[in-house]
């Protein structure tokens, strides 16, 4: 096995509040290998973005990394200074967010933003940076890249803007890309263009990608492995086909069952009872136990199940086998 | 079963010109945007008619014209045989109006944060002058919340619960038709399942009819009895879910189905669609899809295809039924 590009170990993110300490990310560990796309799914508030933001050192105060380690190509990066981190961002880690406008300067032509980033991180001459900027736009499928390089962000459609952001995130040839809901605001035809672009670039460059989304279809088609998050913890982690077709964690099973596709031909969708608890009101033991159809006494007592204290695939004391998990897609 | 909604040649044009003074100074022409163009369809009582299409295709504009929030530029909307735009009998207008309700995408924005849930729910009934004793309590229980929630405020509820409150409010005037504009797009799949199940149950229980607007094909497939596909303000295909998903006849429908991500599409290599949706202010001539259509022929650039019966579907395409992909 080659060394993973990204290793996250027992990551805990804390938010001190008046009502006590919240842990939006609580003991998360995973690796992403070169050329691999890890999908991260889970309901709103599960801690997906917080995990990604911790990796790139972009946690908003008062959230902070409380413990754990983050390693990029074997080097520890969670204890770097802000200045050092800034150098990593852009050069080694590219970022794409849901709203392309957060990553682009509205007052600068896109070409200037690209050449600036390329010069800063690759140390090439202005002329060479310009050529590379055109090539980067060309690579993400901006038609007539040479002519469009002087255009401002607002002169592009939403889908085109997201491509410019991807070009910007990748122009310094980072080894890791963090994409947080990169296609959520886009139409399906544009979404298909962006996801196939991401897949191609990942394959061609051997880049590692962390793809955060709540769309199971996008995950199935794009990711190699998938991490399912629930209330700040990893509920399940495994190869995408296995997790989707035969989930082991009851939460994953419920999630798959509630998608309309899984209930094809059925009049009613499967419903998970109740709602995801708020961070300040997590139950003891397994955080999913009040909603789980398989709860037993052990589930209610601390310590709750963790991936590494269970079978490494599902954080559950009584994981489902293929036969039980009948609610997922066949 | 009867026809509850009949839409004929519905068209809506927006004036998107710059202000008059700018136009004079900058010598700009008037600019018109045709959001909906010559759309006709009917909705049968106690069924779900779904409108699907990408952003800007005119879904919401059609919904607003049907509930009477927006007047058509051309064409007609008849609800239970009554055209609200031309009807003069105030009693008839009031009766028909109270038969229609609308649910919007954002359950956060559509509930007044300063009103108690009970007052929010009863408001349409109050507007009708109906009795409201115990109404909110009863409706809350019908949508799976509790009667004691009437005294709470919207911020005390989760997204899915708020959307149920919106459903409860829509039910207060005992409508026959509910126009739902992306009712679950802001919700997680698990919460979406709760809301969609609720909507199906209420449809059976009260004989409701829905116009269901969404861009999510899997949701549409699950909910719809009949589906209309919109492209750039035009209805390009209409069929039952089984026919539409098995044998899409219009090249745009085929492209849309091909591009949509599938939960069983592991490692699927999609040939991404070419091009983007054109500028609605200067739509292409002839068939609006022709610049992106793999089947386009000369005729498509000059002549607009009309929506015609083709087997069990209605399709607007000169080469309907041929496979583009
Ligand atoms: N300043 C804060 N104070 C308290 N809680 C916070 C704060 N910032 C974030 N949180 C909580 O942290 C949790 C994790 O949020 P995060 O943004 O990572 O969720 P997510 O999984 O990305 O959700 P979404 O799908 O909505 O983007 C949420 O429950 C959120 O309410
Ligand atoms: N009040 C308005 N003034 C000017 N243009 C408008 C107005 N309302 C809608 N439009 C335009 O009409 C077209 C259709 O808009 P509409 O909101 O009906 O689309 P939609 O299919 O609901 O899209 P979405 O999926 O983004 O909600 C768009 O090009 C839009 O910009
Ligand atoms: S540990 Fe128990 S409660 Fe938690 S998911 Fe597994 S069976 Fe359900
Ligand atoms: S009418 Fe012509 S351009 Fe339009 S969809 Fe049919 S074949 Fe394509
Ligand atoms: Mg997020
Ligand atoms: Mg809309």
């Amino acid at each position: 096995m080659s060394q993973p590009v990204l290793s996250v170990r027992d990551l805990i993110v804390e938010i001190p509040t008046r009502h006590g300490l919240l842990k939006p990310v609580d003991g998360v560990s995973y690796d992403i290998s070169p050329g691999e796309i890890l999908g991260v799914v889970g309901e709103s508030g599960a801690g997906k973005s917080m995990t990604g933001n911790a990796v790139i050192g972009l946690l908003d105060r008062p959230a902070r990394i409380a413990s754990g380690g983050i390693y990029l190509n074997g080097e520890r990066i969670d204890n770097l200074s802000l200045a050092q981190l800034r150098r990593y961002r852009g050069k080694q880690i590219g970022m794409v967010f849901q709203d392309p406008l957060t990553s682009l300067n509205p007052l600068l032509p896109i070409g200037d933003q690209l050449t600036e980033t390329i010069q800063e991180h690759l140390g090439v001459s202005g002329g060479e940076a310009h050529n590379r900027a055109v090539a980067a736009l060309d690579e993400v499928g901006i038609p007539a890249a040479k002519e469009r390089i002087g255009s401002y962000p607002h002169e592009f459609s939403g889908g085109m803007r997201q491509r410019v952001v991807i070009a910007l995130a990748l122009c310094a040839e980072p080894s890791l890309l963090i994409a947080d809901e990169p296609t959520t605001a886009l139409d399906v035809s544009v979404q298909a263009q962006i996801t196939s672009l991401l897949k191609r670039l990942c394959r061609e460059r051997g880049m590692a990608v962390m793809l955060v989304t709540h769309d199971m279809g996008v995950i199935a088609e794009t990711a190699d492995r998938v991490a399912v998050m629930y209330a700040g913890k990893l509920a399940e982690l495994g190869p995408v086909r296995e997790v989707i077709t035969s989930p082991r964690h009851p939460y994953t099973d419920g999630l798959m069952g509630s998608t309309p596709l899984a209930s094809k031909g059925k009049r009613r969708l499967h419903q998970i009872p109740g709602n995801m608890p708020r961070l300040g009101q997590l139950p003891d033991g397994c955080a999913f136990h009040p909603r789980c159809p398989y709860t037993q006494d052990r589930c209610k007592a601390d310590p709750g199940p963790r991936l590494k204290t269970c079978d490494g695939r599902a954080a559950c004391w009584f994981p489902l086998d293929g036969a039980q998990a009948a609610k997922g897609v066949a | 079963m009867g026809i509850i909604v009949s839409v004929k040649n519905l068209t809506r044009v927006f004036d998107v010109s710059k202000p008059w003074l700018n136009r004079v100074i900058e010598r700009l022409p008037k600019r018109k945007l045709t959001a909906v163009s010559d759309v006709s369809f009917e909705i049968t009582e106690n069924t779900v008619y779904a409108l699907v299409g990408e952003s800007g295709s005119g879904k919401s504009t059609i919904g607003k014209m049907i509930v009477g929030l927006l007047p058509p530029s051309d064409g007609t909307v008849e609800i239970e045989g009554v055209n609200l735009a031309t009807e003069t009998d105030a009693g008839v207008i009031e009766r028909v109006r109270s038969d229609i309700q609308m649910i919007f995408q954002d359950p956060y924005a559509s509930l007044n944060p300063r009103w108690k849930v009970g007052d929010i729910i009863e408001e349409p009934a109050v507007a009708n002058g109906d009795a409201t004793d115990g109404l909110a309590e009863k409706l809350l229980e019908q949508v799976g919340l509790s009667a004691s929630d009437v005294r709470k405020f919207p911020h005390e509820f989760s997204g899915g619960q708020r959307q149920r409150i919106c459903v409860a409010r829509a039910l207060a005037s005992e409508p026959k038709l509910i126009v739902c504009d992306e009712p679950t797009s802001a919700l997680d799949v698990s919460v979406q399942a709760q809301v969609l199940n609720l909507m199906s149950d209420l449809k059976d229980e009260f004989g409701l009819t829905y116009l269901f607007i969404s861009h999510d094909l899997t949701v549409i497939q699950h909910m719809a009895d009949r589906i209309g596909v919109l492209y750039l303000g035009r209805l390009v295909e209409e069929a039952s879910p089984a026919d539409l998903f098995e044998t899409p006849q219009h090249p745009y429908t085929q492209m849309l189905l091909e591009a949509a991500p599938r939960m069983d599409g592991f490692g699927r290599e999609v040939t991404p669609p070419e091009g983007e949706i054109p500028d609605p202010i200067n739509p292409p001539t002839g068939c609006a899809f022709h610049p992106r259509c793999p089947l386009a022929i000369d005729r498509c650039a000059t002549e607009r295809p009309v929506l015609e019966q083709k087997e069990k579907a209605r399709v607007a395409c000169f080469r309907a039924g041929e496979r583009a992909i």
Side-chain angles (χ1 to χ4, degrees), chain A residues 227-295:
Chain A
V228 183
M229 288 193 73
Y230 186 77
K233 301 186 184 73
L234 286 183
E236 185 157 2
L237 177 67
V240 68
R241 182 189 290 270
E242 288 168 33
V243 172
I244 289 185
T245 55
S246 48
R248 295 238 188 102
H249 196 286
Y251 172 65
T252 318
D253 189 44
L255 206 57
M256 299 304 164
S258 57
T259 62
L261 214 74
S263 317
K264 217 169 184 166
K266 292 187 204 127
R267 297 259 354 274
R268 291 178 63 82
L269 299 165
H270 169 72
Q271 269 177 243
I272 306 176
N275 295 300
M276 190 166 74
R278 287 185 195 188
L279 280 180
Q281 300 160 1
L282 294 185
D284 288 341
C286 172
F288 189 57
H289 88 249
R291 309 175 69 187
C292 179
Y294 310 102
T295 310

Side-chain angles (χ1 to χ4, degrees), chain B residues 14-16 33 35 53-62 64 181-182 213 215 280:
Chain B
F14 290 107
D15 185 347
V16 289
L33 185 154
E54 295 181 279
S55 184
S57 58
K59 306 180 295 293
S60 299
T61 306
I62 292 177
K64 286 181 197 156
D181 193 351
E182 310 262 9
I213 294 170
H215 64 267

Side-chain angles (χ1 to χ4, degrees), chain B residues 126-139:
Chain B
V126 173
N128 270 354
D130 298 345
T132 58
D133 284 344
L135 177 69
E137 284 86 348
K138 189 186 83 187
L139 289 168

Side-chain angles (χ1 to χ4, degrees), chain B:
Chain B
M1 264 186 292
I3 303 294
I4 180 161
V5 178
S6 170
V7 166
K8 289 202 187 77
N9 309 107
L10 197 61
T11 298
R12 173 69 209 204
V13 180
F14 290 107
D15 185 347
V16 289
S17 313
K18 288 207 174 158
W20 173 82
L21 195 61
N22 294 52
R23 268 206 337 268
V24 174
I25 296 170
E26 298 171 42
R27 294 169 184 279
L28 295 170
K30 265 200 147 175
R31 282 152 61 90
K32 297 235 153 94
L33 185 154
T34 305
V36 176
S37 173
D38 199 15
V39 166
S40 304
F41 62 89
E42 289 177 339
I43 309 180
T44 307
E45 242 177 288
N46 198 209
T47 64
V48 179
Y49 190 98
L51 283 177
V52 66
E54 295 181 279
S55 184
S57 58
K59 306 180 295 293
S60 299
T61 306
I62 292 177
K64 286 181 197 156
M65 287 193 281
I66 288 179
V67 298
L69 283 175
L70 203 63
S73 307
D74 206 354
T76 56
V77 175
E78 281 183 11
I79 315 272
E80 301 172 288
V82 177
N83 180 347
L84 288 173
T86 55
E87 180 61 49
T88 49
D89 185 331
V92 173
I93 291 179
E94 199 174 313
R95 173 177 59 80
V96 174
R97 273 207 193 288
S98 72
D99 281 347
I100 322 167
Q101 281 295 331
M102 187 151 181
I103 298 172
F104 296 93
Q105 168 170 358
D106 190 347
Y108 296 87
S110 51
L111 296 175
N112 186 333
R114 280 185 292 273
W115 282 27
K116 288 200 180 116
V117 164
D119 298 331
I120 291 175
I121 293 174
E122 282 169 0
E123 195 240 358
V126 173
N128 270 354
D130 298 345
T132 58
D133 284 344
L135 177 69
E137 284 86 348
K138 189 186 83 187
L139 289 168
L140 278 170
E141 281 177 355
Q142 253 154 6
V143 299
L145 297 171
S146 112
S148 60
D149 288 338
V150 287
R151 280 178 296 278
K152 292 190 184 160
F153 289 93
H155 73 260
E156 298 175 62
F157 295 88
S158 70
Q161 291 170 330
R162 283 182 218 210
Q163 199 58 301
R164 287 162 192 244
I165 295 171
C166 294
V167 174
R169 174 179 61 183
L171 292 173
S173 59
E174 297 182 13
K176 293 186 181 150
L177 171 71
I178 302 186
V179 173
C180 321
D181 193 351
E182 310 262 9
T184 62
S185 300
L187 307 175
D188 282 316
V189 282
S190 61
V191 184
Q192 167 173 287
Q194 300 168 0
V195 174
L196 293 181
N197 282 345
L198 170 68
M199 291 180 61
S200 304
D201 294 346
L202 295 172
K203 174 187 165 225
D204 298 345
E205 197 173 329
F206 298 110
L208 292 174
T209 307
Y210 294 118
L211 174 64
F212 192 98
I213 294 170
S214 176
H215 64 267
D216 186 329
L217 287 160
T218 58
V219 171
I220 293 266
Q221 186 174 22
H222 180 75
M223 292 295 287
D225 296 305
R226 193 91 188 146
I227 300 171
V229 182
L230 291 169
Y231 186 74
L232 224 62
R234 304 158 191 215
L235 193 59
V236 296
E237 178 160 3
E238 184 196 74
S240 69
D243 291 331
L244 194 89
F245 284 87
E246 287 295 315
T247 49
Q249 309 260 356
H250 195 283
Y252 174 65
T253 316
Q254 294 170 10
M255 186 205 88
L256 205 59
L257 296 186
E258 176 65 20
R262 297 182 197 147
M263 257 180 60
D264 55 359
F266 304 108
R268 187 169 75 106
E269 293 294 336
V270 189
T271 322
E274 300 266 327
E276 302 203 30
I277 299 178
D279 177 7
I281 297 173
N282 300 299
T285 54
C287 171
F289 190 55
H290 88 258
R292 303 172 75 189
C293 180
L295 294 181
I297 46 178
D298 288 347
R299 185 182 177 194
C300 307
T302 53
E303 200 181 323
R304 175 168 169 180
V306 291
L307 195 70
E308 284 174 330
Q309 198 71 33
K310 167 95 184 161
E311 288 159 33
K312 281 182 282 176
R314 291 198 300 152
V315 195
C317 171
F318 299 124
R319 303 185 63 179
E322 292 181 50
R323 284 303 292 194
I325 307 165

